[in-house]
Amino acid sequence: MHGTPGAGPTPPPALPTDRLQFAMPPMHDSVDDERRHRKERLAGALRIFGRLGFEDGVSGLISARDPEYSDCFWVNPFGMPFKHVTVSDLVLVNADGQVIEGRYHVNQAAFTVHVQVHAARPDVVAVAHCHSVHGRAMSALGDLLDPITQESCAFYEDHALYDAYTGVAVDAEEGRRIATALGSRKALVLRNHGLLTVGNSVDAAAWWFVSMERSAQVQLTAKAAGRPLLIDHKLAVATREQLGGDLVAWINYQPLWQDISRSEPDLLS
Ligand SMILES: [Zn+2]
């Protein structure tokens, strides 16, 4: 005889949820601990970007605000492969782009943009910008992400187009215009250039970049195959409210962090 529902042995009781592990952003008592944490996550994010192929020559920068000197920023060393970066390779730069701590030069053109975004957005801890392929392709079209998937809805009415291209030489004024175009949003499409994302943690900024690049890939693929169906305005807003916050980005990023920190522990040296 097959059992009927409820006829078998009674299963053990459910465990209390407070006994189950769920990672949340750590809080640090000292500025030194917070600084170390941000640097570890920055080195990890660079390695992940390297793995995902976001690097193109010497372009690309992720910057993390120092927790003590709020107008100084930790960045990747100029010309070093993202996949090689360790915590001790990171460079601390002041608002004028001068190196305060570290052994390497920094990408001054990229930093000029980052520092203006940080200045305009005190809520932001990290800024990510790379010349990833699908983001760059979408930027060449001057397109924004359409609300066509759950993931792209996280960016719905929360990203913008910087509708200008003025060459590689970036001055402070252009950095300010880019920061103005970003406004209070989480991401920008820089026309004919690529993507830029921000977050209230390194992990959130890195996740938004990963997710935006993938969303660009999905949109380009879908448009090449046909006409994607749009999610309607109300549902797109509701989905963004559910999935578009920096805490959700942080949570989504943890599998990437756990993978890179476990498989490449030398990044912490
Ligand atoms: Zn760039």
Side-chain angles (χ1 to χ4, degrees), residues 59 129 131 193:
S59 66
H129 166 64
H131 297 181
H193 185 169

Side-chain angles (χ1 to χ4, degrees), residues 34-141:
E34 178 61 25
R35 179 180 292 121
R36 174 73 198 181
H37 173 74
R38 289 186 190 183
K39 290 171 72 177
E40 289 180 357
R41 297 304 174 111
L42 178 55
L46 288 158
R47 294 221 180 179
I48 289 164
F49 279 26
R51 275 191 185 183
L52 293 174
F54 294 170
E55 206 170 8
D56 196 310
V58 295
S59 66
L61 194 80
I62 310 178
S63 59
R65 193 188 299 277
D66 186 81
E68 184 175 10
Y69 310 109
S70 60
D71 56 353
C72 296
F73 308 92
W74 295 94
V75 299
N76 42 301
F78 183 71
M80 184 179 290
F82 286 3
K83 288 183 197 171
H84 291 188
V85 175
T86 66
V87 167
S88 59
D89 291 328
L90 297 172
V91 181
L92 183 65
V93 187
N94 67 19
D96 295 322
Q98 297 161 323
V99 173
I100 296 177
E101 193 179 322
R103 293 166 285 150
Y104 301 96
H105 286 280
V106 302
N107 185 329
Q108 289 293 338
F111 183 73
T112 307
V113 175
H114 283 239
V115 73
Q116 296 300 336
V117 171
H118 279 290
R121 289 287 299 274
D123 58 309
V124 158
V125 165
V127 179
H129 166 64
C130 286
H131 297 181
S132 54
V133 170
H134 300 95
R136 222 178 336 163
M138 194 175 76
S139 82
L141 300 171

Side-chain angles (χ1 to χ4, degrees), residues 180-233:
T180 300
L182 177 68
S184 60
R185 304 173 186 89
K186 67 159 75 77
L188 265 186
V189 178
L190 305 166
R191 200 190 80 199
N192 301 104
H193 185 169
L195 308 177
L196 181 145
T197 61
V198 303
N200 67 4
S201 65
V202 172
D203 293 25
W207 176 258
W208 291 134
F209 197 94
V210 170
S211 186
M212 194 177 193
E213 165 66 15
R214 286 177 178 160
S215 295
Q217 182 176 11
V218 169
Q219 179 164 309
L220 292 166
T221 307
K223 281 188 169 175
R227 188 184 297 175
L229 302 173
L230 295 177
I231 295 167
D232 73 47
H233 170 74

